[in-house]
Amino acid sequence: MRKDPASRHRPTPHRAWRGIRLKRVEIGIDPDAAPEPAIIPADWSDQAAAGLVALRADRAMIGVDQAADAWIAPLAAAAERLGRSEDVASTLHRLVATRRAAPSPGIWQGRAEPVPGFVFNLPQFLDESGMFDAAAFGEAVEHAVLALSLAQPSAQRLALGMADLALLLARLDIDYASPTARDVAATIGALLAAHADIASAGLLARGIAPGCAITPVPVPASCAQPGLRAALLDARERALACGLRQHRSLTGLLPPGPVEMLLDVETVGIAAPLSALDSEGGLARWARARLAASGRTAESALAASLAGADPFGVTDAAGIAAMREAIAPVCAILPEVPSLPAPRAASAGRGKLPARRGGYTQKVSVGGHRLFLRTGEYPDGRLGEIMISLPKDSATLRGMAEAFAGAVSIGLQHGVPLDEFVDEFAFTRFAPAGAVEGDAMISQATSLLDYVFRHLAATYSQRPDLAALDLADDAAGVDAAAPLLPLDLPETGTGRPKRQRPVLKLVS
């Protein structure tokens, strides 16, 4: 930890931050941005520091406590003028200091937003015994509604949402795609909605604003967390007794951004865990948590993986859709789900992969950029899923690569031949490109996608001719400083080589 030379000039932090060891780091919003100083708690990650850099209203506010106080202090003063007796400042500071919750970027930066929001980091509400702290969660929700309403008094729609549901379920040793997981998520979502109703009702100016009727939130028949369902029933009864609330809607999942980075969440919103590996190729945080919760070792998980089993509970599209359906009644804003293409005539719908599937992980470097390619196979050996991880690239590029791989996987499972993807994306030219290290079949690539699809063609489509092509001159011609997207299309007649007919060789 490096001592902050400017610490003597920094204002005294709020008492909620006292006793917390701090560290100073130099970091940019993404790997391509110029580094800036940031002071955060010693146990926070670089991702959290990057989130602070993106959120703070002034570059001079290098400390997270300063940046938080810049928006908390005015709200606390406004609450005091309204006669609110509770210590609003201490509660909001504690939410940020413990990474339990934080507001949307507009609140940090003092600008109006169409829908101001608050993100709640669900795993941080688990106590030492592994129980969800419903009372603390309810208090946090009510203070969040108060804060957003004071920051933007005219806002009729708020978006209080959850994050890192996948890690919460992993720590509870619950499969994301199971009915038990959906009951837990729906109970927490309903608890959030009920407490938001209570807080909004308390802000309603009786006799001035007409108000919106409070409707009963749905209550799941059961919940694996002891006491959580009872807490929901109590909050629901209190909310219904209020009758009316100030806001039209209170819950929702906004597009992810620096708030999730600051809270150091692994999966945004109610997103599912789609891979047990993190961006560095090691076990993801949720996967390690699942092993710890179940009492299994990494060795036993590796043995299960080699045997074709899934020891972690990686989720498919059906599990994601079921979770979304469970949360929808208590979440007014949900991200749009892209419509799936109509199945081809030769396909009888989507061919789902088995829960236990074969495949492999290929680690390579293309032009100095590390890439992990993971495949999932049907029992007959056909390719049905790919995952692409770029651990050293920017968050934007990593997200695009993961989304692209998901789209290709959906196409494969709906019967689109792998060869069509290969013909479309092999030989695309954009940086990074160059020498390939780690794959004996392919020595050069004109782009990351070129490598991925020529490798898949050689492995699954019996097209080793594509892997064996010498592209050293083509790869050298790609400008290393060029954009990481194929924005410049090749001229007619100078595009990718035509698909070559495989040469069959008879062997005895």
Side-chain angles (χ1 to χ4, degrees):
M1 181 177 70
R2 193 153 56 116
K3 185 177 180 181
D4 176 19
S7 60
R8 72 189 69 178
H9 305 298
R10 297 178 65 237
T12 303
H14 187 276
R15 60 179 177 274
W17 296 90
R18 294 173 188 169
I20 298 178
R21 294 183 59 203
L22 302 176
K23 66 179 179 181
R24 176 181 171 128
V25 299
E26 300 281 339
I27 196 165
I29 298 174
D30 59 56
D32 298 324
E36 300 181 29
I39 298 177
I40 57 174
D43 60 347
W44 287 21
S45 69
D46 285 351
Q47 173 177 282
L52 170 63
V53 170
L55 285 171
R56 58 193 179 192
D58 190 326
R59 294 179 63 181
M61 299 177 184
I62 63 174
V64 63
D65 55 321
Q66 292 174 276
D69 196 60
W71 62 267
I72 292 175
L75 300 184
E80 187 175 354
R81 288 193 296 270
L82 291 177
R84 303 294 294 245
S85 58
E86 67 268 40
D87 191 346
V88 174
S90 292
T91 301
L92 294 176
H93 271 292
R94 280 197 302 270
L95 288 178
V96 178
T98 57
R99 287 183 293 179
R100 283 187 163 185
S104 50
I107 305 300
W108 288 82
Q109 297 160 7
R111 56 178 174 82
E113 296 174 297
V115 183
F118 229 95
V119 178
F120 296 90
N121 189 4
L122 296 185
Q124 295 299 106
F125 287 93
L126 290 176
D127 61 23
E128 295 181 356
S129 63
M131 297 293 105
F132 191 83
D133 192 340
F137 184 70
E139 180 188 34
V141 169
E142 294 187 24
H143 274 80
V145 172
L146 174 62
L148 296 179
S149 301
L150 293 174
Q152 287 190 222
S154 61
Q156 286 298 298
R157 299 183 186 277
L158 307 180
L160 280 70
M162 304 178 286
D164 234 346
L165 172 64
L167 180 58
L168 172 77
L169 295 173
R171 288 182 176 172
L172 298 177
D173 196 22
I174 299 174
D175 276 336
Y176 180 97
S178 67
T180 301
R182 293 192 287 274
D183 285 342
V184 170
T187 303
I188 294 175
L191 184 66
L192 186 156
H195 278 285
D197 283 340
I198 294 169
S200 180
L203 294 169
L204 183 64
R206 303 290 182 182
I208 300 176
C212 300
I214 295 177
T215 57
V217 296
V219 179
S222 62
C223 181
Q225 272 283 291
L228 188 55
R229 187 173 181 273
L232 168 57
L233 290 172
D234 177 69
R236 182 177 185 262
E237 183 178 352
R238 290 168 52 206
L240 291 175
C242 295
L244 297 174
R245 68 187 185 203
Q246 174 174 306
H247 301 88
R248 294 181 183 178
S249 63
L250 292 157
T251 58
L253 301 177
L254 296 177
V259 176
E260 285 80 5
M261 295 172 63
L262 180 77
L263 297 177
D264 204 22
V265 304
E266 187 173 53
T267 54
V268 299
I270 59 170
L274 300 178
S275 172
L277 299 180
D278 61 17
S279 60
E280 299 293 333
L283 280 181
R285 194 187 315 161
W286 77 268
R288 297 195 303 270
R290 188 69 195 274
L291 290 181
S294 62
R296 289 173 292 175
T297 63
E299 290 79 4
S300 65
L302 175 61
S305 298
L306 293 175
D310 176 12
F312 303 103
V314 176
T315 310
D316 59 10
I320 297 172
M323 182 62 76
R324 177 186 172 88
E325 184 178 350
I327 290 294
V330 291
C331 192
I333 303 174
L334 279 173
E336 291 292 332
V337 176
S339 57
L340 297 179
R344 300 181 171 223
S347 174
R350 184 172 185 176
K352 296 180 181 178
L353 288 165
R356 297 184 178 183
R357 64 197 71 168
Y360 62 89
T361 299
Q362 176 71 51
K363 174 184 176 182
V364 297
S365 172
V366 178
H369 287 247
R370 191 183 304 172
L371 180 150
F372 289 89
L373 173 64
R374 168 70 183 169
T375 67
E377 301 172 355
Y378 289 101
D380 61 4
R382 288 181 297 117
L383 179 66
E385 176 184 61
I386 67 169
M387 285 173 281
I388 301 173
S389 177
L390 306 173
K392 295 299 183 181
D393 286 281
S394 69
T396 299
L397 187 57
R398 292 200 306 268
M400 291 181 66
E402 293 169 2
F404 173 80
V408 171
S409 300
I410 291 174
L412 293 170
Q413 293 165 26
H414 276 83
V416 178
L418 173 61
D419 282 341
E420 294 203 17
F421 289 112
V422 173
D423 291 341
E424 183 65 28
F425 296 111
F427 308 110
T428 49
R429 296 168 55 84
F430 57 92
V436 176
E437 300 177 3
D439 189 335
M441 294 189 297
I442 302 177
S443 61
Q444 297 284 334
T446 59
S447 68
L448 296 177
L449 294 187
D450 170 52
Y451 167 75
V452 166
F453 286 97
R454 286 201 291 131
H455 172 91
L456 293 174
T459 305
Y460 290 99
S461 292
Q462 290 74 52
R463 298 175 65 181
D465 54 304
L466 295 185
L469 291 175
D470 184 3
L471 301 179
D473 293 339
D474 288 344
V478 178
D479 184 1
L484 299 183
L485 290 174
L487 300 178
D488 299 321
L489 298 177
E491 297 178 0
T492 304
T494 62
R496 65 179 69 91
K498 294 181 179 178
R499 176 179 172 183
Q500 303 177 13
R501 183 180 299 276
V503 177
L504 300 179
K505 181 179 179 181
L506 298 179
V507 294
S508 57

